[in-house]
């Protein structure tokens, strides 16, 4: 273990501790992370929320894209991983919590409407009710021009839960783009880029753009 990089040791420890919430055997590659972070605007001071940051491979790509601009909030359910992330990425606001509680977390931590939500959550291990709760909370948290992006492993795309998840995205968002496969990842993955929550979700999003109101 001593020969492994620290982030990998921390990730593997989390896999052993909570295999079902981690849902991967290794962190995302830097290429997948960069693909996910590519939706972060290069200008301005965007508010970025990351769901399921783990040991921070995607966190690092988002930080690289942001420089010192904007606000980067990461929501991680595992308190030990959250502690690891706070030390590895001191600029990032790391919150311990469930992604499904995003709106409550926004209210408590005074987080305004979000420009970009980037998810590293293991969707294939999350039941359909929780998937919906997380995607709906995400849609309601986005600013009108906001963007949600996430990934799916290619080998699992035809499973019922993966299909159901893709259908859910299409139901909640007006536009869902599937990017080319990132082969340099274990396992290879595609990303979904989702914009414009559909009318119902968008209306609620407008109402909730300031979670403190
Ligand atoms: C597949 S790992 C991805 C880690 C990292 N984003 C990456 O791509 O390497 C999934 C992460 O999501 C976290 N997680 C799982 N369910 C969650 C939930 N409901 N809310 C917040 N975090 C969650 C896990 O603890 C784990 O850190």
């Amino acid at each position: 273990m001593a020969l492994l990089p620290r982030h990998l040791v921390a990730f593997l420890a989390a896999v052993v501790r909570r295999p079902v919430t981690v849902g991967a055997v290794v962190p995302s590659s830097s290429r997948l992370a960069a693909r996910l972070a590519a939706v972060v605007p290069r200008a301005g001071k965007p508010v970025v929320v990351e769901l399921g940051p783990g040991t921070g491979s995607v966190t690092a790509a988002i930080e690289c894209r942001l420089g010192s601009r904007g606000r980067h909030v990461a929501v991680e359910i595992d308190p030990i991983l959250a502690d690891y992330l706070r030390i590895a990425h001191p600029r990032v606001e790391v919150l311990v919590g469930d992604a499904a509680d995003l709106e409550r977390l926004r209210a408590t931590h005074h987080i305004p409407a979000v420009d970009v939500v980037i998810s590293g959550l293991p969707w294939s291990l999350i039941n359909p009710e929780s998937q919906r709760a997380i995607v709906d909370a995400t849609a309601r948290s986005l600013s009108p021009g906001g963007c949600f992006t996430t990934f799916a492993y290619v080998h699992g795309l035809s499973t019922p839960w993966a299909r159901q998840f893709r259908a859910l995205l299409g139901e909640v968002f007006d536009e869902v783009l599937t990017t080319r496969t990132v082969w340099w990842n274990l396992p290879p993955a595609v990303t979904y880029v989702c914009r414009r929550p559909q009318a119902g979700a968008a209306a609620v999003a407008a109402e909730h753009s300031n979670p403190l109101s």
Side-chain angles (χ1 to χ4, degrees):
M1 287 295 250
L3 295 175
L4 295 174
R6 274 187 40 175
H7 77 279
L8 202 49
V9 174
F11 193 92
L12 293 175
V15 172
V16 172
R17 212 169 47 243
R18 307 173 76 147
V20 176
T21 41
V22 175
V25 283
V26 286
S28 297
S29 70
S30 57
R31 287 199 200 169
L32 178 58
R35 175 75 63 81
L36 287 164
V39 297
V40 174
R42 283 207 187 276
K45 295 181 176 175
V47 176
V48 179
V49 169
E50 183 182 2
L51 305 176
T55 49
S57 53
V58 179
T59 313
I62 296 169
E63 280 298 277
C64 182
R65 184 98 180 166
L66 279 174
S68 54
R69 297 175 300 123
R71 191 168 170 188
H72 180 175
V73 179
V75 179
E76 171 56 57
I77 206 164
D78 181 331
I80 298 176
L81 284 177
D83 282 344
Y84 176 90
L85 202 68
R86 280 191 194 102
I87 294 165
H89 295 280
R91 199 188 89 95
V92 178
E93 294 173 53
V94 183
L95 310 181
V96 176
D98 187 327
D101 290 333
L102 179 58
E103 290 159 292
R104 190 182 54 74
L105 291 167
R106 284 180 56 217
T108 308
H109 296 274
H110 306 273
I111 301 165
V114 180
D115 297 300
V116 175
V117 176
I118 298 181
S119 161
L121 297 172
W123 295 109
S124 61
L125 297 177
I126 298 177
N127 68 55
E129 292 73 32
S130 299
Q131 286 185 357
R132 177 169 282 281
I134 296 169
V135 173
D136 281 348
T138 295
R140 289 194 293 262
S141 294
L142 283 175
S143 61
C147 178
F148 169 55
T149 186
T150 187
F151 67 85
Y153 296 129
V154 170
H155 69 273
L157 286 179
S158 58
T159 62
W161 273 15
R163 284 167 183 262
Q164 199 166 338
F165 178 66
R166 175 62 186 80
L168 171 64
L169 294 180
E171 210 181 294
V172 175
F173 292 94
D174 182 34
E175 179 184 80
V176 182
L177 300 176
T178 307
T179 62
R180 287 195 317 269
T181 301
V182 179
W183 293 104
W184 191 261
N185 191 69
L186 195 65
V190 294
T191 67
Y192 297 128
V193 180
C194 312
R195 296 182 197 274
R196 299 188 301 279
Q198 301 274 22
V204 186
E207 256 173 53
H208 289 259
S209 60
N210 179 356
L212 300 172
S213 65

